Amino acid sequence: MDYKDIRILIYDISVGAFSRINSVKNSGANSGYSITTVNSFNEMKWLVSRIRFDLVVVDIDSLPEKKEESFTQILNLVSPRKLLAIDSSTNPLGRELRKNHGNYMITTGSQLNFDELTAQLKKEVNTLTPSQLLKEKDRALETAEESFRRLIDSGSDAMIVVDGSGIIQFANVAAEKLYGRSASELLGEVFGFPLTGGESTEIDIITSAGESVVADMRATEIEWRGEKAFLASLRDISDKKKTEEMLKATLENLKRSNSDLQSFAYVASHDLQEPLRMVSSYCQLLAKKYHGKLDEDADKFITFAVQGANRMQRLITDLLEYSRIRISGKTFQWIEGEEIVKRALGNIQQLLHDKKARVTFTELPLLWGDRIQLTSLFQNIIANGIKFNQSPEPRIDIRVEKESQRWRFEIEDNGIGIEPKYKDKIFELFQQLQPWSEYGGTGMGLAIAKKIIERHNGEIWVDSQPGKGSLFIFTLPAVPNPNNRLQKETIGNPAAI
């Protein structure tokens, strides 16, 4: 038999072992096969995971504490190659192995005779079958495995090779950092997590320091030493999970704060209505009873008080409407777009008449939303275009077209316009660009419109120049409806009011 390709690994740290092992190595050299000796358990595990030894010799008495667990790790790494276990006749583990592991060679004796060991090695080598010997293709496979190891060792993610029995056969440098343990310590241990190719799973890893690490694991089925195995890729996502938890907590706090703020605004504005009505009523009584009976300054003061009370009442009414948008919004339903616009125009009929305004609109689609809020949306934008308008004949044009899965509405006026730098500010609470004494209002109309649009999952913006009118654009989802009107074009002859 040609022994030149036979490799033997001997693990023995007993006193005086090395001088004796050297004689075994020399005997081996004379026989033509290669013998490697180690005196570290972890080093032995590391070598077995990287080199295909034909025969592994282990002195059971030299194993670390928890000998049975250590021996099991060796079995997991060495199998199906041949293992020669050596122990004293008094070792309880040896007796158990002799009973349960008859397929492994066990020699006994209170004093180990290295001449016998040499003879035993030769005997074991001679019993190796051709299938157990490493052939050229096995050497090529070993070379490929080494290239594979170098490749995954260079990766930033932890990589662990787990065999079909769930035993760790290889761990790269990143895996050592993740676990806080050396690769040799991990080898032969049970991986402990179910592996399914192609799926991503979050797992909790306990490091050597006792800390919990959350890792994203992806497993790929591979062939390892001719057997089915899995390559588990682990990425530490502990910081990401902590950030997500912090963000979630922040969003919950923000949600709670917004809810509290909306509730406060609702309660405050609601409870202020009654005392404000009383103040307004008494101011009006003063104006009615004492107007012209006191001096001119008194008449002015009373007028200011009445105007201030009325303005405050309108502010509180608008604030109450704003706070109710999400708190007291109605259930969504199908509504004819034309019906919404006509309701809005009906609510500002006096303003339309006083300003001699003209409103035109094309055919409008069926909408899915809150009837009252959508009416308020159109009413606020149309009223703004009429109120902030110096033309002798204010004009409002309403158009709509379908864009993908949304309706795009355009409401254009010929009013005084808005400077571009204020295009976002006008949608904020209590933002009124023009003097109250000249145009009145509360600065809440467009803020209410934006809040309604947001509740309906739409967007709103404005395109305007001073003196050239304004074009308000907003979108609403084009929700499919039973009448299939979603597909209907909305371009037609404009209606005029």
Side-chain angles (χ1 to χ4, degrees), residues 472-493:
F472 283 89
I473 305 164
F474 62 88
T475 63
L476 293 172
V479 181
N481 60 82
N483 299 328
N484 199 33
R485 285 190 55 187
L486 182 63
Q487 307 300 328
K488 184 175 181 179
E489 294 295 335
T490 58
I491 302 173
N493 295 324

Side-chain angles (χ1 to χ4, degrees), residues 174-183 185-186 189 204-213:
E176 293 180 318
K177 293 179 181 178
L178 182 64
Y179 279 83
R181 301 170 63 191
S182 67
E185 291 176 307
L186 294 171
E189 293 194 355
D204 291 316
I205 296 172
I206 304 300
T207 68
S208 59
E211 299 176 350
S212 177
V213 174

Side-chain angles (χ1 to χ4, degrees), residues 279-424:
V279 171
S280 179
S281 296
Y282 277 104
C283 285
Q284 290 174 9
L285 286 174
L286 283 173
K288 183 176 181 181
K289 187 172 183 178
Y290 294 105
H291 184 72
K293 296 180 181 181
L294 303 175
D295 60 21
E296 185 176 348
D297 286 343
D299 287 343
K300 287 182 180 179
F301 296 156
I302 292 173
T303 299
F304 291 155
V306 172
Q307 290 177 346
N310 290 338
R311 187 184 180 194
M312 178 63 74
Q313 198 163 23
R314 287 194 296 272
L315 278 169
I316 290 176
T317 299
D318 287 348
L319 181 60
L320 185 60
E321 181 182 353
Y322 183 85
S323 65
R324 280 175 171 170
I325 290 173
R326 289 199 179 275
I327 295 176
S328 304
K330 302 298 181 183
T331 303
F332 282 16
Q333 58 181 306
W334 292 112
I335 319 151
E336 290 287 349
E338 186 173 329
E339 176 191 343
I340 294 295
V341 171
K342 287 183 176 180
R343 281 176 176 268
L345 296 177
N347 293 340
I348 56 172
Q349 189 62 47
Q350 189 62 49
L351 176 65
L352 292 170
H353 179 270
D354 293 344
K355 298 279 285 188
K356 298 180 181 179
R358 179 179 176 84
V359 179
T360 62
F361 53 89
T362 59
E363 183 181 359
L364 302 176
L366 191 67
L367 300 175
W368 177 254
D370 184 323
R371 183 189 303 272
I372 294 175
Q373 290 183 0
L374 290 179
T375 300
S376 177
L377 168 67
F378 280 93
Q379 180 178 323
N380 278 307
I381 297 177
I382 294 171
N384 254 43
I386 296 173
K387 184 167 59 175
F388 297 100
N389 198 314
Q390 296 177 344
S391 170
E393 292 185 357
R395 188 186 72 255
I396 306 293
D397 296 320
I398 303 174
R399 302 180 293 272
V400 62
E401 62 181 11
K402 184 170 174 289
E403 288 185 347
S404 185
Q405 296 301 311
R406 66 178 187 172
W407 295 112
R408 173 190 168 103
F409 286 85
E410 296 182 353
I411 301 181
E412 187 174 16
D413 64 58
N414 61 343
I416 60 175
I418 304 166
E419 289 191 36
K421 65 180 179 179
Y422 297 124
K423 65 179 181 178
D424 295 322

Side-chain angles (χ1 to χ4, degrees), residues 11 41-42 44-45 58 60 62-78 83 91-94 96-97 101 167-168 181 184-191:
Y11 165 63
F41 181 70
N42 284 335
M44 184 199 68
K45 289 170 58 180
V58 176
I60 294 177
S62 301
L63 291 174
E65 295 182 2
K66 299 182 180 179
K67 294 181 183 299
E68 187 169 2
E69 181 180 325
S70 299
F71 192 77
T72 300
Q73 291 183 25
I74 296 172
L75 291 178
N76 290 332
L77 289 170
V78 172
L83 174 68
N91 192 316
L93 176 59
E96 189 67 22
L97 289 171
H101 299 285
I167 304 300
I168 297 176
R181 301 170 63 191
S184 58
E185 291 176 307
L186 294 171
L187 297 179
E189 293 194 355
V190 177
F191 182 58

Side-chain angles (χ1 to χ4, degrees), residues 134-179:
L134 292 177
K135 301 177 182 178
E136 287 301 320
K137 63 178 182 180
D138 296 318
R139 300 301 183 196
L141 178 61
E142 185 178 335
T143 301
E145 285 181 2
E146 187 59 34
S147 299
F148 174 73
R149 290 190 187 98
R150 287 197 297 268
L151 177 63
I152 61 177
D153 249 338
S154 64
S156 59
D157 288 344
M159 297 286 191
I160 294 178
V161 176
V162 183
D163 67 18
S165 300
I167 304 300
I168 297 176
Q169 297 292 333
F170 175 81
N172 69 348
V173 175
E176 293 180 318
K177 293 179 181 178
L178 182 64
Y179 279 83

